[in-house]
Amino acid sequence: MPIVNIDLIAGRSQAQLKALVQDVTSAVTKNTGAPAEHVHVILREMQPDRYGVAGVLKSDEK
């Protein structure tokens, strides 16, 4: 049972998230042979003020 965890900054549409889950599931089934019904994809969305790169919060980027 493959489990894929994806952390991303919040702000994508429901359609984008749905397409992401479908594409990741397809890639996992193609490359592992696992049936799609056994592939679990977990999306964890972070608020931009809870994630930083190089000392700068994403919410502070211009």
Side-chain angles (χ1 to χ4, degrees):
M1 168 177 63
I3 300 173
V4 180
N5 291 286
I6 301 174
D7 295 308
L8 63 162
I9 295 175
R12 286 150 184 95
S13 70
Q14 191 66 24
Q16 289 173 310
L17 296 174
K18 182 178 179 178
L20 175 61
V21 170
Q22 290 171 343
D23 289 349
V24 168
T25 300
S26 178
V28 171
T29 59
K30 174 185 171 190
N31 291 289
T32 67
E37 59 270 14
H38 292 183
V39 178
H40 297 241
V41 180
I42 301 167
L43 304 176
R44 290 188 296 247
E45 293 184 294
M46 297 170 284
Q47 295 304 313
D49 63 348
R50 298 293 187 259
Y51 182 79
V53 176
V56 178
L57 290 172
K58 285 302 210 180
S59 60
D60 291 338
E61 287 184 346
K62 296 189 186 227

